[in-house]
């Protein structure tokens, strides 16, 4: 029987409409489906939010079930450190890891960065994403966002040279990073990189499919820095990336939570990688823990709430492209 003094776990699926649609090389969606975990103990409740990722075979229903199955271990004393071995790196572990961190902070009356011995995050510039479309549609969307200092451009294969040229014309002053989401091939890789370089692109994310990215190592000198996304998950996956990538995109849903993400950031920096902190399309509750990586990140891409029709109450403060650290009531 569960003790009344044991932590209790609640989890649910939430659906958040996207403003318009969000399109990448793998398809389009009109809502963000998230899973929220809440752990309550001694009058305090910690929360965490994740986005199950179909690219890795995750579904909201399976993620919900994985979280619900952790009630027993939590009742028997499972803590955040033991969680790292009790669950695989996944969206489900991310939600529970962040909920436990939030609970620790609320129980102790400290901010989570103080508990972890990390510097407090500060307001920083986030990228703003332009969805994949025709070059004309992407130019129009970019023109509406041209006041933003950092834009992330979704590309998708054929016609990408035209797309990036149209985007650059529409936003001549913005810093551009592009994300191909594994859509390029070894045959068009060098041409696409050269076209990005000609348009002043700073960074290219995941041009080739994970596991088929050896062509990146054969390029003598990459004209644009290349960032691993689908090719990198946690610390173990950093091995073997150095000759192919210049940077790694750390996302909490891939790493399985903030605990591993912070350790991964330290390891990646020690290996000489630049760091991007990224996100899925989700509410401020999912973005808030990732703000702790801001101090180590060359690029911050935490624009999920800006892409929604509405954010949850008490969400992060966004002032244009500036995103501010979370208030304690939201998380941490």
């Amino acid at each position: 029987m569960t003790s009344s003094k044991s932590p209790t776990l609640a989890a649910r699926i939430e659906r958040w409409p996207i403003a318009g649609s969000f399109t990448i090389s793998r398809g389009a969606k009109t809502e963000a489906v998230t899973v929220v975990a809440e752990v309550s103990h001694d009058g305090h409740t910690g929360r965490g939010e994740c986005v199950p990722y179909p690219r890795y075979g995750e579904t909201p229903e399976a993620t919900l079930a994985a979280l619900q199955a952790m009630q027993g271990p939590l009742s028997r004393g499972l803590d955040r450190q033991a969680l790292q071995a009790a669950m695989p790196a996944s969206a489900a572990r991310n939600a529970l890891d962040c909920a436990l961190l939030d609970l620790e902070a609320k129980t102790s009356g400290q901010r989570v960065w103080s508990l972890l011995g990390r510097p407090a995050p500060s307001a920083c510039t986030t990228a703003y994403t332009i969805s994949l479309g025709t070059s004309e549609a992407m130019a129009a969307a970019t023109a509406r966002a041209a006041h933003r200092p950092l834009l992330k451009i979704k590309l998708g294969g054929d016609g990408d040279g035209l797309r990036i040229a149209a985007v650059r014309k529409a936003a001549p002053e913005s810093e551009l990073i592009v994300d191909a989401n594994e859509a390029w091939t070894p045959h068009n890789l060098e041409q696409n990189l050269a076209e990005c370089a000609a348009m002043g692109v700073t960074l290219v994310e995941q041009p080739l499919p994970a596991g088929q990215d050896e062509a990146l190592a054969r390029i003598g000198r990459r004209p644009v820095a290349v960032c691993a996304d689908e090719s990198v998950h946690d610390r173990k996956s950093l091995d073997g990336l150095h000759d192919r990538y210049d940077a790694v995109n750390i996302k909490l849903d891939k790493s399985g939570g903030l605990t591993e993400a912070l350790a991964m950031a330290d390891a990646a920096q020690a290996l000489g990688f630049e760091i991007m902190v990224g996100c899925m399309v989700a509410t401020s509750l999912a973005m808030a823990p990732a703000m702790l990586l801001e101090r180590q990140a060359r690029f911050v891409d935490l624009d999920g709430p800006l892409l929604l029709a509405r954010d949850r109450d008490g969400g992060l403060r966004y002032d244009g492209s500036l995103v501010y650290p979370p208030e304690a009531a939201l998380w941490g």
Side-chain angles (χ1 to χ4, degrees):
M1 180 178 294
T2 300
S3 166
S4 62
K5 294 184 179 180
S6 299
T8 58
L9 171 64
R12 63 182 178 275
I13 295 172
E14 297 183 345
R15 298 179 183 273
W16 297 86
I18 291 172
S21 66
F22 181 77
T23 305
I24 65 172
S25 62
R26 285 189 288 270
K29 60 182 181 179
T30 58
E31 66 176 3
V33 182
T34 72
V35 180
V36 173
E38 294 182 342
V39 181
S40 300
H41 190 224
D42 289 341
H44 300 283
T45 297
R47 302 186 299 169
E49 177 181 305
C50 69
V51 179
Y53 201 176
R55 167 69 175 77
Y56 304 120
E58 296 178 333
T59 66
E61 294 75 18
T63 298
L64 181 66
L67 284 168
Q68 292 170 335
M70 298 308 293
Q71 176 62 74
L74 281 171
S75 299
R76 294 189 291 273
L78 180 85
D79 61 13
R80 182 170 51 86
Q81 286 69 36
L83 174 66
Q84 309 309 309
M87 297 182 80
S90 60
R93 194 180 80 185
N94 174 34
L96 186 51
D97 181 72
C98 291
L100 289 171
L101 277 165
D102 189 30
L103 180 62
E104 288 177 40
K106 288 179 167 56
T107 301
S108 69
Q110 299 182 67
R111 296 310 306 266
V112 69
W113 44 86
S114 297
L115 281 174
L116 296 175
R118 295 276 173 165
S122 59
C124 59
T125 297
T126 178
Y128 180 82
T129 303
I130 303 296
S131 285
L132 176 65
T134 65
S135 57
E136 295 81 6
M138 293 182 72
T142 301
R144 293 191 293 271
H147 62 286
R148 296 183 181 274
L150 179 61
L151 297 177
K152 178 173 176 173
I153 312 303
K154 291 291 187 178
L155 297 181
D158 292 341
D160 278 349
L162 294 174
R163 290 185 180 98
I164 199 62
V167 163
R168 171 50 81 199
K169 184 176 180 180
E173 302 301 324
S174 300
E175 183 176 10
L176 300 181
I177 55 180
V178 306
D179 186 359
N181 282 117
E182 306 180 278
W184 294 356
T185 70
H187 301 292
N188 64 25
L189 173 65
E190 293 195 60
Q191 178 183 345
N192 284 338
L193 287 176
E195 289 173 337
C196 285
M199 292 298 107
V201 169
T202 303
L203 187 77
V204 173
E205 266 190 88
Q206 199 66 43
L208 299 175
Q212 302 174 41
D213 51 7
E214 60 276 359
L216 288 166
R218 296 198 294 268
I219 299 175
R221 183 180 181 277
R222 291 184 285 272
V224 183
V226 180
C227 179
D229 184 357
E230 285 84 353
S231 287
V232 67
H233 298 262
D234 54 14
R235 279 173 288 176
K236 295 189 297 291
S237 62
L238 292 171
D239 294 339
L241 295 184
H242 214 286
D243 60 343
R244 304 179 186 191
Y245 296 97
D246 308 289
V248 294
N249 188 343
I250 300 176
K251 294 177 179 174
L252 272 60
D253 284 317
K254 290 190 303 175
S255 68
L258 181 61
T259 299
E260 174 62 23
L262 289 170
M264 181 182 173
D266 293 342
Q269 279 193 318
L271 291 170
F273 290 107
E274 287 195 313
I275 292 172
M276 170 186 284
V277 52
C279 69
M280 306 294 285
V281 183
T283 79
S284 284
L285 182 56
M287 306 299 119
M291 285 291 294
L292 270 74
L293 294 160
E294 169 266 327
R295 294 281 189 176
Q296 293 172 276
R298 165 65 177 87
F299 299 98
V300 173
D301 178 23
L302 298 178
D303 64 342
L306 297 178
L307 305 176
L308 298 176
R310 67 176 182 87
D311 193 8
R312 67 174 68 246
D313 293 341
L316 292 174
R317 175 188 167 196
Y318 287 87
D319 182 4
S321 289
L322 274 181
V323 54
Y324 289 79
E327 299 292 336
L330 173 65
W331 185 87

